[in-house]
Amino acid sequence: HHLTAADPDRAGGASGEPSDGSDFIWYIRYRDDYRRLDGHWKFARRSIHLQWVEERPVLKMGPARS
């Protein structure tokens, strides 16, 4: 999840709803190659595979009131 503040030039999130910002949700997978070095496993290479991205409008909530 990546939260961002509202863009003053946009009316809302992707759906156009009123929003205080956006929550970008990324579904990613890592493909890692490992190498054993001095008795310890280390990353030799890592690649990121972005599967999908979703954007949702979010509203800032204030503290609970009694």
Side-chain angles (χ1 to χ4, degrees):
H1 292 267
H2 302 275
L3 294 174
T4 60
D7 181 345
D9 295 331
R10 278 178 83 176
S15 64
E17 299 173 14
S19 170
D20 291 325
S22 294
D23 179 10
F24 290 95
I25 304 145
W26 290 15
Y27 174 65
I28 59 175
R29 289 183 319 118
Y30 293 104
R31 182 180 173 124
D32 298 329
D33 293 322
Y34 303 94
R35 172 181 289 170
R36 194 163 176 87
L37 184 62
D38 297 328
H40 300 282
W41 287 102
K42 305 286 184 176
F43 287 107
R45 181 177 53 176
R46 168 170 271 190
S47 59
I48 297 175
H49 299 270
L50 181 60
Q51 302 297 303
W52 56 260
V53 175
E54 181 179 350
E55 178 186 4
R56 297 179 187 176
V58 293
L59 297 174
K60 188 187 298 185
M61 304 299 288
R65 295 182 186 189
S66 52

